[in-house]
Short mmCIF file of all heavy atoms in Angstrom, two decimals:
data_model
loop_
_atom_site.label_atom_id
_atom_site.label_comp_id
_atom_site.label_asym_id
_atom_site.label_seq_id
_atom_site.Cartn_x
_atom_site.Cartn_y
_atom_site.Cartn_z
N SER A 141 -73.26 -58.80 -3.76
CA SER A 141 -73.40 -60.01 -2.96
C SER A 141 -73.93 -59.70 -1.57
O SER A 141 -73.42 -58.79 -0.89
CB SER A 141 -72.08 -60.73 -2.83
OG SER A 141 -72.22 -61.87 -1.95
N LEU A 142 -74.91 -60.47 -1.14
CA LEU A 142 -75.45 -60.36 0.20
C LEU A 142 -75.00 -61.54 1.04
O LEU A 142 -75.47 -61.73 2.20
CB LEU A 142 -76.99 -60.30 0.15
CG LEU A 142 -77.57 -59.13 -0.65
CD1 LEU A 142 -79.09 -59.22 -0.66
CD2 LEU A 142 -77.11 -57.77 -0.08
N ARG A 143 -74.10 -62.38 0.53
CA ARG A 143 -73.70 -63.61 1.24
C ARG A 143 -72.63 -63.43 2.26
O ARG A 143 -72.42 -64.34 3.09
CB ARG A 143 -73.27 -64.65 0.18
CG ARG A 143 -74.42 -65.05 -0.71
CD ARG A 143 -74.09 -66.23 -1.57
NE ARG A 143 -72.99 -65.90 -2.50
CZ ARG A 143 -72.79 -66.50 -3.64
NH1 ARG A 143 -73.61 -67.44 -4.04
NH2 ARG A 143 -71.80 -66.15 -4.42
N CYS A 144 -71.89 -62.31 2.21
CA CYS A 144 -70.82 -62.09 3.20
C CYS A 144 -70.51 -60.62 3.30
O CYS A 144 -70.87 -59.85 2.41
CB CYS A 144 -69.57 -62.88 2.86
SG CYS A 144 -68.74 -62.35 1.33
N ALA A 145 -69.85 -60.23 4.37
CA ALA A 145 -69.46 -58.82 4.56
C ALA A 145 -68.10 -58.57 3.98
O ALA A 145 -67.19 -59.41 4.09
CB ALA A 145 -69.44 -58.51 6.06
N MET A 146 -67.96 -57.42 3.36
CA MET A 146 -66.69 -57.01 2.76
C MET A 146 -65.94 -55.97 3.60
O MET A 146 -64.80 -55.63 3.33
CB MET A 146 -66.93 -56.47 1.35
CG MET A 146 -67.58 -57.46 0.42
SD MET A 146 -66.48 -58.82 0.01
CE MET A 146 -65.38 -58.00 -1.11
N LEU A 147 -66.62 -55.47 4.63
CA LEU A 147 -66.02 -54.46 5.52
C LEU A 147 -66.51 -54.70 6.93
O LEU A 147 -67.70 -54.86 7.15
CB LEU A 147 -66.44 -53.04 5.07
CG LEU A 147 -65.94 -51.87 5.91
CD1 LEU A 147 -64.45 -51.62 5.67
CD2 LEU A 147 -66.74 -50.62 5.57
N GLY A 148 -65.55 -54.74 7.88
CA GLY A 148 -65.89 -54.88 9.28
C GLY A 148 -65.20 -53.78 10.09
O GLY A 148 -64.55 -52.89 9.52
N ASP A 149 -65.33 -53.86 11.41
CA ASP A 149 -64.86 -52.76 12.24
C ASP A 149 -63.34 -52.59 12.19
O ASP A 149 -62.86 -51.45 12.26
CB ASP A 149 -65.32 -52.94 13.68
CG ASP A 149 -64.85 -54.23 14.36
OD1 ASP A 149 -64.44 -55.17 13.65
OD2 ASP A 149 -64.91 -54.28 15.60
N LEU A 150 -62.59 -53.65 12.05
CA LEU A 150 -61.11 -53.50 12.03
C LEU A 150 -60.64 -52.79 10.77
O LEU A 150 -59.78 -51.89 10.83
CB LEU A 150 -60.44 -54.86 12.18
CG LEU A 150 -60.71 -55.62 13.49
CD1 LEU A 150 -60.05 -56.97 13.48
CD2 LEU A 150 -60.34 -54.78 14.69
N ILE A 151 -61.17 -53.16 9.63
CA ILE A 151 -60.79 -52.52 8.39
C ILE A 151 -61.31 -51.08 8.36
O ILE A 151 -60.63 -50.16 7.90
CB ILE A 151 -61.27 -53.32 7.16
CG1 ILE A 151 -60.58 -54.70 7.14
CG2 ILE A 151 -61.00 -52.57 5.88
CD1 ILE A 151 -61.07 -55.62 6.07
N ALA A 152 -62.54 -50.84 8.88
CA ALA A 152 -63.08 -49.48 8.95
C ALA A 152 -62.21 -48.62 9.86
O ALA A 152 -61.94 -47.46 9.54
CB ALA A 152 -64.51 -49.54 9.44
N ALA A 153 -61.76 -49.17 10.99
CA ALA A 153 -60.88 -48.40 11.88
C ALA A 153 -59.57 -48.05 11.19
O ALA A 153 -59.04 -46.95 11.37
CB ALA A 153 -60.61 -49.20 13.16
N SER A 154 -59.06 -48.93 10.35
CA SER A 154 -57.87 -48.65 9.56
C SER A 154 -58.13 -47.50 8.56
O SER A 154 -57.28 -46.62 8.42
CB SER A 154 -57.45 -49.89 8.77
OG SER A 154 -56.40 -49.62 7.90
N ALA A 155 -59.33 -47.47 7.99
CA ALA A 155 -59.69 -46.39 7.08
C ALA A 155 -59.70 -45.07 7.82
O ALA A 155 -59.20 -44.04 7.30
CB ALA A 155 -61.05 -46.66 6.45
N VAL A 156 -60.26 -45.03 9.00
CA VAL A 156 -60.31 -43.81 9.77
C VAL A 156 -58.88 -43.34 10.11
O VAL A 156 -58.52 -42.20 9.95
CB VAL A 156 -61.13 -44.00 11.10
CG1 VAL A 156 -60.98 -42.79 12.00
CG2 VAL A 156 -62.60 -44.23 10.75
N GLU A 157 -58.10 -44.27 10.61
CA GLU A 157 -56.71 -43.99 10.98
C GLU A 157 -55.90 -43.44 9.81
O GLU A 157 -55.00 -42.61 10.00
CB GLU A 157 -56.05 -45.27 11.54
CG GLU A 157 -54.65 -45.08 12.05
CD GLU A 157 -54.13 -46.41 12.64
OE1 GLU A 157 -54.83 -47.05 13.42
OE2 GLU A 157 -53.01 -46.78 12.29
N ASN A 158 -56.21 -43.92 8.61
CA ASN A 158 -55.46 -43.48 7.43
C ASN A 158 -56.08 -42.33 6.66
O ASN A 158 -55.61 -42.02 5.57
CB ASN A 158 -55.26 -44.72 6.52
CG ASN A 158 -54.27 -45.68 7.12
OD1 ASN A 158 -53.16 -45.30 7.45
ND2 ASN A 158 -54.69 -46.92 7.34
N GLY A 159 -57.13 -41.74 7.19
CA GLY A 159 -57.66 -40.52 6.60
C GLY A 159 -58.61 -40.67 5.45
O GLY A 159 -58.75 -39.73 4.64
N TRP A 160 -59.28 -41.79 5.32
CA TRP A 160 -60.29 -41.95 4.27
C TRP A 160 -61.59 -41.24 4.69
O TRP A 160 -61.94 -41.23 5.88
CB TRP A 160 -60.57 -43.44 4.04
CG TRP A 160 -59.44 -44.10 3.33
CD1 TRP A 160 -58.34 -44.62 3.92
CD2 TRP A 160 -59.27 -44.28 1.94
NE1 TRP A 160 -57.48 -45.15 2.97
CE2 TRP A 160 -58.04 -44.93 1.74
CE3 TRP A 160 -60.06 -43.97 0.82
CZ2 TRP A 160 -57.56 -45.27 0.46
CZ3 TRP A 160 -59.59 -44.32 -0.42
CH2 TRP A 160 -58.36 -44.94 -0.60
N ALA A 161 -62.27 -40.63 3.74
CA ALA A 161 -63.53 -39.94 4.03
C ALA A 161 -64.69 -40.93 4.15
O ALA A 161 -65.62 -40.73 4.91
CB ALA A 161 -63.83 -38.91 2.96
N GLY A 162 -64.63 -41.98 3.34
CA GLY A 162 -65.74 -42.94 3.35
C GLY A 162 -65.56 -44.11 2.42
O GLY A 162 -64.56 -44.21 1.70
N VAL A 163 -66.56 -45.01 2.48
CA VAL A 163 -66.62 -46.20 1.66
C VAL A 163 -68.02 -46.34 1.13
O VAL A 163 -69.00 -46.24 1.90
CB VAL A 163 -66.24 -47.46 2.46
CG1 VAL A 163 -66.33 -48.72 1.60
CG2 VAL A 163 -64.87 -47.34 3.10
N ILE A 164 -68.15 -46.58 -0.17
CA ILE A 164 -69.44 -46.93 -0.78
C ILE A 164 -69.27 -48.36 -1.25
O ILE A 164 -68.38 -48.68 -2.03
CB ILE A 164 -69.78 -46.01 -1.98
CG1 ILE A 164 -69.86 -44.57 -1.52
CG2 ILE A 164 -71.06 -46.48 -2.65
CD1 ILE A 164 -69.95 -43.56 -2.65
N LEU A 165 -70.12 -49.22 -0.70
CA LEU A 165 -69.92 -50.67 -0.89
C LEU A 165 -71.18 -51.30 -1.53
O LEU A 165 -72.25 -51.32 -0.87
CB LEU A 165 -69.62 -51.30 0.45
CG LEU A 165 -69.37 -52.78 0.51
CD1 LEU A 165 -68.23 -53.20 -0.39
CD2 LEU A 165 -69.03 -53.19 1.94
N PHE A 166 -71.04 -51.79 -2.75
CA PHE A 166 -72.12 -52.52 -3.41
C PHE A 166 -72.04 -53.95 -2.91
O PHE A 166 -71.64 -54.88 -3.60
CB PHE A 166 -71.97 -52.40 -4.91
CG PHE A 166 -73.11 -53.01 -5.70
CD1 PHE A 166 -74.41 -52.68 -5.41
CD2 PHE A 166 -72.86 -53.86 -6.75
CE1 PHE A 166 -75.46 -53.24 -6.12
CE2 PHE A 166 -73.89 -54.41 -7.49
CZ PHE A 166 -75.20 -54.09 -7.20
N GLY A 167 -72.39 -54.09 -1.64
CA GLY A 167 -72.33 -55.36 -0.92
C GLY A 167 -72.65 -55.09 0.53
O GLY A 167 -73.29 -54.10 0.86
N CYS A 168 -72.17 -55.96 1.42
CA CYS A 168 -72.51 -55.92 2.83
C CYS A 168 -71.34 -55.53 3.75
O CYS A 168 -70.17 -55.70 3.35
CB CYS A 168 -73.02 -57.29 3.30
SG CYS A 168 -74.58 -57.74 2.59
N ILE A 169 -71.69 -55.06 4.92
CA ILE A 169 -70.73 -54.84 5.99
C ILE A 169 -71.13 -55.70 7.20
O ILE A 169 -72.20 -56.31 7.23
CB ILE A 169 -70.66 -53.35 6.42
CG1 ILE A 169 -71.95 -52.94 7.17
CG2 ILE A 169 -70.39 -52.45 5.23
CD1 ILE A 169 -71.77 -51.72 8.05
N ARG A 170 -70.26 -55.73 8.19
CA ARG A 170 -70.59 -56.29 9.49
C ARG A 170 -70.05 -55.39 10.57
O ARG A 170 -69.42 -54.38 10.25
CB ARG A 170 -70.06 -57.74 9.61
CG ARG A 170 -68.57 -57.86 9.62
CD ARG A 170 -68.18 -59.32 9.61
NE ARG A 170 -66.84 -59.55 10.18
CZ ARG A 170 -66.41 -60.70 10.58
NH1 ARG A 170 -67.19 -61.76 10.47
NH2 ARG A 170 -65.22 -60.84 11.10
N ASP A 171 -70.30 -55.70 11.81
CA ASP A 171 -69.89 -54.83 12.92
C ASP A 171 -70.51 -53.45 12.75
O ASP A 171 -69.88 -52.40 13.00
CB ASP A 171 -68.34 -54.72 12.99
CG ASP A 171 -67.68 -56.07 13.12
OD1 ASP A 171 -68.11 -56.88 13.97
OD2 ASP A 171 -66.69 -56.30 12.38
N SER A 172 -71.78 -53.42 12.39
CA SER A 172 -72.43 -52.13 12.05
C SER A 172 -72.52 -51.18 13.24
O SER A 172 -72.41 -49.97 13.04
CB SER A 172 -73.82 -52.38 11.47
OG SER A 172 -74.66 -53.05 12.39
N ARG A 173 -72.67 -51.69 14.44
CA ARG A 173 -72.76 -50.79 15.58
C ARG A 173 -71.42 -50.05 15.78
O ARG A 173 -71.43 -48.82 15.98
CB ARG A 173 -73.11 -51.57 16.85
CG ARG A 173 -73.21 -50.69 18.07
CD ARG A 173 -73.65 -51.46 19.27
NE ARG A 173 -73.74 -50.57 20.44
CZ ARG A 173 -73.97 -50.97 21.63
NH1 ARG A 173 -74.17 -52.25 21.89
NH2 ARG A 173 -74.02 -50.10 22.62
N GLU A 174 -70.33 -50.78 15.72
CA GLU A 174 -69.01 -50.15 15.89
C GLU A 174 -68.72 -49.19 14.75
O GLU A 174 -68.19 -48.08 14.98
CB GLU A 174 -67.94 -51.22 15.98
CG GLU A 174 -67.98 -52.06 17.23
CD GLU A 174 -69.03 -53.19 17.22
OE1 GLU A 174 -69.70 -53.38 16.17
OE2 GLU A 174 -69.16 -53.85 18.24
N ILE A 175 -69.04 -49.57 13.53
CA ILE A 175 -68.80 -48.68 12.38
C ILE A 175 -69.63 -47.43 12.50
O ILE A 175 -69.20 -46.34 12.13
CB ILE A 175 -69.05 -49.45 11.05
CG1 ILE A 175 -67.92 -50.49 10.86
CG2 ILE A 175 -69.11 -48.49 9.88
CD1 ILE A 175 -68.13 -51.43 9.66
N GLY A 176 -70.84 -47.55 13.04
CA GLY A 176 -71.72 -46.39 13.22
C GLY A 176 -71.18 -45.39 14.20
O GLY A 176 -71.65 -44.25 14.23
N GLU A 177 -70.23 -45.76 15.02
CA GLU A 177 -69.61 -44.85 15.99
C GLU A 177 -68.33 -44.24 15.48
O GLU A 177 -67.73 -43.40 16.15
CB GLU A 177 -69.36 -45.60 17.30
CG GLU A 177 -70.66 -46.05 17.95
CD GLU A 177 -70.44 -46.97 19.16
OE1 GLU A 177 -69.26 -47.29 19.45
OE2 GLU A 177 -71.44 -47.33 19.80
N MET A 178 -67.92 -44.59 14.27
CA MET A 178 -66.65 -44.10 13.71
C MET A 178 -66.87 -42.87 12.84
O MET A 178 -67.92 -42.76 12.17
CB MET A 178 -66.00 -45.19 12.85
CG MET A 178 -65.54 -46.38 13.64
SD MET A 178 -64.76 -47.59 12.54
CE MET A 178 -64.64 -48.97 13.65
N PRO A 179 -65.91 -41.95 12.81
CA PRO A 179 -66.04 -40.74 11.95
C PRO A 179 -65.69 -41.10 10.50
O PRO A 179 -64.68 -40.65 9.93
CB PRO A 179 -65.04 -39.78 12.54
CG PRO A 179 -63.97 -40.66 13.13
CD PRO A 179 -64.71 -41.89 13.65
N LEU A 180 -66.55 -41.94 9.91
CA LEU A 180 -66.31 -42.43 8.56
C LEU A 180 -67.68 -42.59 7.87
O LEU A 180 -68.63 -43.07 8.46
CB LEU A 180 -65.66 -43.84 8.62
CG LEU A 180 -65.32 -44.54 7.33
CD1 LEU A 180 -64.19 -43.84 6.60
CD2 LEU A 180 -64.96 -45.99 7.59
N GLY A 181 -67.75 -42.14 6.63
CA GLY A 181 -68.98 -42.37 5.87
C GLY A 181 -68.97 -43.77 5.30
O GLY A 181 -67.97 -44.22 4.76
N VAL A 182 -70.07 -44.51 5.49
CA VAL A 182 -70.21 -45.85 4.95
C VAL A 182 -71.62 -46.03 4.40
O VAL A 182 -72.59 -45.94 5.12
CB VAL A 182 -69.91 -46.95 5.98
CG1 VAL A 182 -70.11 -48.33 5.37
CG2 VAL A 182 -68.50 -46.81 6.54
#
């Protein structure tokens, strides 16, 4: 789906805090600038 984002900066920050290596998403994200500054693969 391209109609909405399934991952934003708050959930991505939670992933970083909890030790996830990354997310592969067959869909969209938002807050791309902030996510691009996080030590997380997306």
Side-chain angles (χ1 to χ4, degrees):
S141 174
L142 301 177
R143 296 188 298 205
C144 66
M146 300 293 285
L147 178 73
D149 61 341
L150 298 178
I151 297 174
S154 173
V156 171
E157 184 176 312
N158 289 304
W160 288 85
V163 178
I164 299 169
L165 180 57
F166 186 49
C168 293
I169 70 158
R170 65 187 205 163
D171 304 312
S172 60
R173 181 176 179 187
E174 292 81 2
I175 290 173
E177 296 172 356
M178 295 181 190
L180 181 70
V182 177

